[in-house]
């Protein structure tokens, strides 16, 4: 077990799971909503904590009510908040995230009105106590001084730098660390078509380098060695890609701490990130999960009738096709907590786009499960998130 300090941002993530990413001027109901702590370095530290390491975060927090929620979330992840710099002015950084239930991809709108860690605050931390320092490649007005301190006072502890986006002056810091982790966002913004081209342009740096590229895999270059490429893991179904890159970073750091070479570390990190994509969130990431069976296939569904299936956990679920997507509801009428098909099959009106409980004739919108007529008017069926893979197989999310 190692003691790791991560320097970067902690934010609140407001996460909405939607049937598809909204179009301009479109009104869209979310399948689910939840709030959790996020931010690149925070997520990486959480995964490292699950891998058995002690983790501390160096970040800034506001004085608003959301800050208490943020700190509570960090503590719940067993991340020490001893080195948090507090500011009276400013608001807690927030990311508004939509996750597309059809493919697990996410869109993020970020709001930030809070200063970042100051050099003076960081300089007071006894960094010699840590076995590894991991920096987000941002805050470039203060980062050079922080890295200079780290190089001055650390004797053997590695320093890693995540380079997610282009920022003024960031390239001047590449020689100050032991490990550079590039995202494809940085590479494409700099005009490179793949990780190979990026790493070739930086081959003079005496540092281990890695560039992740989603479905195209990972390029990496050990010190004084040739560039290599690892294929992306085949992931099906993709449930949630949010924090997959942060998970990769954690797996990479962990494997290098375990004294593996860079290639083996990349392979381990690649597999761990793929595993993350197969579950919502980061909780219990290392638990082994049995391979789930599909509930059904899209070819079995229609807009004119429902299909009642049983999930791996034994729940009775109602599936029905809605336009080009699928709706899934718990097979339970909110009127008297009985299955919708208790008396006979569930009647569907494809023109009105409603379905009817067989017991007391409650009518529900197929689109959102809302009761629009009957004894439980204005109550709703409980939605169940589902994911459809490239073969049309439907899984619970």
């Amino acid at each position: 077990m190692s003691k790791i300090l991560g320097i970067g941002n902690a934010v609140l993530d407001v996460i909405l799971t939607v049937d598809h990413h909204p179009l301009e001027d479109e009104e869209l109901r979310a399948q689910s909503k939840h709030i959790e702590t996020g931010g690149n370095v925070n997520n990486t530290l959480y995964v490292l904590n699950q891998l058995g390491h002690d983790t501390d975060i160096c970040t800034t927090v506001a004085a608003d009510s959301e800050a208490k929620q943020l700190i509570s979330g960090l503590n719940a992840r067993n991340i020490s908040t001893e080195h948090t710099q507090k500011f009276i002015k400013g608001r807690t950084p927030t990311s508004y995230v939509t996750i597309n239930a059809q493919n697990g991809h996410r869109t993020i709108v970020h709001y930030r009105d809070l200063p970042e860690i100051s050099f003076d605050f960081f300089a007071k931390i006894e960094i010699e106590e840590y076995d590894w320092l991991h920096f987000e490649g941002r805050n470039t007005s203060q980062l050079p001084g922080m890295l200079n301190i780290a190089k001055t006072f650390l004797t053997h502890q590695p320093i890693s730098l995540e380079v997610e986006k282009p920022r003024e002056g960031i390239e001047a810091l590449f020689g100050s660390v032991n490990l550079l982790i590039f995202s494809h966002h940085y590479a494409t913004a700099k005009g490179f078509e793949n990780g190979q081209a990026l790493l070739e342009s930086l081959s003079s740096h005496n540092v281990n380098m890695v560039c992740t590229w989603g479905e195209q895999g990972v390029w990496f270059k050990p010190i004084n060695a040739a560039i290599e490429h690892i294929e992306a893991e085949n992931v099906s179904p993709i449930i949630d890609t949010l924090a997959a890159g942060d998970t990769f970073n954690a797996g990479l750091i962990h494997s290098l701490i375990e004294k593996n070479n860079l290639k083996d570390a990349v392979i381990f990190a690649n597999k761990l990130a793929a595993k993350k994509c197969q579950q919502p969130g980061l909780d219990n990431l290392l638990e082994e999960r049995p391979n789930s069976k599909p509930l059904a296939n899209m070819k079995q569904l229609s807009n004119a009738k429902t299909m009642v299936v049983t999930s791996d956990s034994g729940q009775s679920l109602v599936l029905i096709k809605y336009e080009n997507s699928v709706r899934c509801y718990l097979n339970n009428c909110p009127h008297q907590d009985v299955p919708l098909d208790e008396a006979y099959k569930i009647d569907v009106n494809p023109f009105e786009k409603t379905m009817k409980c067989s017991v007391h004739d409650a009518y529900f919108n197929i689109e959102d499960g809302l009761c629009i007529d009957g004894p439980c008017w204005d109550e709703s069926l409980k939605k169940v998130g589902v994911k459809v893979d490239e073969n049309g197989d439907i899984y619970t999310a």
Side-chain angles (χ1 to χ4, degrees), residues 51 250-252 254-255 263-273 286:
L51 288 165
L252 188 65
H254 166 76
S255 190
K263 181 175 183 177
D264 289 341
V266 168
I267 292 172
F268 174 81
N270 209 26
K271 292 181 181 296
L272 189 64
L286 302 183

Side-chain angles (χ1 to χ4, degrees), residues 137-278:
R138 51 182 306 120
N139 193 17
T140 52
S141 65
Q142 308 295 309
L143 192 54
M146 295 180 192
L147 289 175
N148 186 53
I149 286 179
K151 289 179 63 179
T152 301
F153 289 95
L154 298 182
T155 55
H156 60 281
Q157 299 94 325
I159 304 168
S160 53
L161 179 68
E162 178 194 19
V163 186
E164 184 182 36
K165 300 175 183 177
R167 299 184 188 276
E168 185 177 356
I170 191 71
E171 288 79 12
L173 305 177
F174 289 174
S176 300
V177 300
N178 306 97
L179 172 65
L180 284 167
I181 310 171
F182 296 99
S183 77
H184 73 276
H185 300 292
Y186 172 85
T188 54
K190 289 293 183 179
F192 297 102
E193 296 183 353
N194 54 50
Q196 173 91 21
L198 170 66
L199 298 187
E200 284 176 349
S201 74
L202 301 168
S203 60
S204 60
H205 287 287
N206 188 33
V207 56
N208 288 308
M209 296 185 291
V210 176
C211 180
T212 62
W213 211 288
E215 295 178 352
Q216 294 187 34
V218 186
W219 283 266
F220 63 96
K221 184 183 185 305
I223 296 174
N224 298 323
I227 298 170
E228 296 186 59
H229 178 254
I230 297 291
E231 295 288 341
E233 292 286 311
N234 183 25
V235 179
S236 181
I238 299 174
I239 301 298
D240 175 14
T241 60
L242 183 64
D246 307 329
T247 301
F248 177 93
N249 295 347
L252 188 65
I253 292 169
H254 166 76
S255 190
L256 291 173
I257 288 174
E258 294 292 300
K259 306 301 182 183
N260 292 306
N261 60 43
L262 187 60
K263 181 175 183 177
D264 289 341
V266 168
I267 292 172
F268 174 81
N270 209 26
K271 292 181 181 296
L272 189 64
K275 186 175 182 180
K276 186 270 158 286
C277 291
Q278 294 178 293

Side-chain angles (χ1 to χ4, degrees), residues 95-111:
S95 288
Y96 300 88
V97 184
T98 58
I99 296 178
N100 186 345
Q102 298 302 313
N103 57 24
H105 294 179
R106 83 292 186 274
T107 297
I108 302 174
V109 178
H110 183 66
Y111 173 79

